[in-house]
Amino acid sequence: EEVRDRDTDVLKEYLSHYFNRDLVSAGLPPRDYATIIETRLPIREKWKLVEPYWEVSRYTGYGRSLDIAVRELYGIDGISGATIEELNERFLESLEPGHFRRVLKERCGIERSLLCVETLEETYDPLIERSIHCDRELFVPVYIVNPLVHPESWVEVERIERESGLRITSFSAWLEAAEANVERASSIGSPILKNSLAYVRSLHYERATRAEAEEAFNQVFRTRHFPEWHQRPIVTAKAFQDYLFHFILEIANRKKLVVQIHTGIQEGSGNLIANSNPELLSNLFLEYPDVDFDLFHIGYPYQNVMTVLAKNFPNVYIDMCWAHIVSPNASVQALIEWVDAVPVNKISAFGGDYLFVDGVYGHQYLAREDVARALTVKVEEGLFGVEKAGKIARLLLYDNPKRIFRL
């Protein structure tokens, strides 16, 4: 909260994540979107730029979660031309300290949120990175291993050097630094590792030899001599990435860490959806049977694949984070199927997955509705009664994630 943008308005914040993609898909010109985010204009002028695209997109999960948030948090009946100015005034009042705690604790009833962190450093740029040194009353840190598996620049390499206290001069040094950072993250309080690399590569992590990985790693030094003000990019071959993720899974196995993996739809406009099919992870589930894998986003649109993976592998768990705003109906239908096919102790029914706090409330509201809708179907079928449905809902929304994530 302390690094929340104060030079903002309700459209700049609400369109920083998710719903902007629906507006672009509906035809919002990128230059108009840039104007909304980057330019100081009266809120009504900004609204005029988005209104035609907003009206045809407001029924998506992204749009509905925002209408719910403003109704429940600000007492305003949805986002429209008639409400945008009053909403913006109420929103600006929320920039005062305490809004995060009010939303997450008082309104959502969230005990603690899993916070993805990019750095182990205490001295860092909070506008760019989230540190593992976070408010533990609100958050549990989740260490992202992406830079260890898929470094993209010497800036990342140098940060890993600072975090590990090791100079990267060889492949052996990289492995030592990777292990040191995972060990440090665990000791500081992160029981979970996260891999979200399905945005940039396939989820198929094959076995590679150390020699193949080292040969690929040696290519990173090709840009070592570039000046510090230059981008200094790094491109690592698949053999290096595959070897490193297997190396990290060995550490997770030894330390009993949970591994979260992004599967299914990638946020943004366009990507290679086939890269994120959770079926591609099957070899890892087989090779690391003692590592618990938490698979994100119901694998949408591969939720039927997710059903089989969670049914067949004791170490695979379903995570419905993001899913309810991607498609409320798909989430309901998937949960109905999982009650039929998957033990209910293997499902976490909600994760906020928003970059701004008001969206978390709207998303959780949809998640509660979706869980209720799915369990109502089972009550009406006579599978169990209302009291049992309530106990299952508690499993899905509280007991399961608390157990799965070692909280």
Side-chain angles (χ1 to χ4, degrees), residues 209-366:
T209 66
R210 182 181 175 116
E212 291 170 329
E214 184 167 10
E215 181 179 359
F217 175 79
N218 287 338
Q219 300 304 310
V220 307
F221 292 97
R222 289 178 178 268
T223 59
R224 184 67 184 91
H225 65 286
F226 287 13
E228 69 278 359
W229 46 262
H230 197 281
Q231 186 176 7
R232 295 189 294 166
I234 289 174
V235 178
T236 54
K238 187 173 183 294
F240 168 82
Q241 299 164 23
D242 290 354
Y243 186 93
L244 256 294
F245 193 44
H246 278 272
F247 179 79
I248 288 170
L249 289 176
E250 288 283 1
I251 302 172
N253 181 68
R254 185 172 67 248
K255 297 190 68 63
K256 304 300 180 185
L257 302 176
V258 181
V259 176
Q260 295 181 326
I261 302 180
H262 174 104
T263 69
I265 181 173
Q266 300 104 333
E267 203 274 334
S269 297
N271 210 309
L272 302 177
I273 186 63
N275 278 348
S276 65
N277 186 339
E279 183 180 359
L280 297 171
L281 295 164
S282 297
N283 64 308
L284 301 184
F285 307 149
L286 288 166
E287 294 169 21
Y288 302 94
D290 296 326
V291 174
D292 287 341
F293 292 90
D294 181 63
L295 304 188
F296 273 17
H297 317 315
I298 71 174
Y300 183 84
Y302 302 106
Q303 56 266 42
N304 290 334
V305 172
M306 191 75 84
T307 306
V308 178
L309 294 175
K311 188 176 186 68
N312 281 8
F313 292 98
N315 58 334
V316 171
Y317 297 86
I318 298 172
D319 199 319
M320 298 187 75
C321 59
W322 191 16
H324 301 281
I325 51 173
V326 171
S327 174
N329 188 64
S331 298
V332 172
Q333 296 306 313
L335 189 51
I336 290 171
E337 179 175 339
W338 294 333
V339 172
D340 286 341
V342 178
V344 292
N345 67 337
K346 303 197 72 181
I347 305 162
S348 295
F350 172 70
D353 220 309
Y354 258 112
L355 293 180
F356 57 92
V357 71
D358 288 2
V360 176
Y361 180 89
H363 187 186
Q364 194 203 53
Y365 193 103
L366 281 174

Side-chain angles (χ1 to χ4, degrees), residues 26-47:
L28 175 67
R31 64 180 179 278
D32 288 349
Y33 174 66
T35 297
I36 293 165
I37 298 299
E38 299 170 6
T39 307
R40 288 187 178 183
L41 286 174
I43 196 68
R44 183 159 292 282
E45 289 188 34
K46 289 188 175 185
W47 175 255

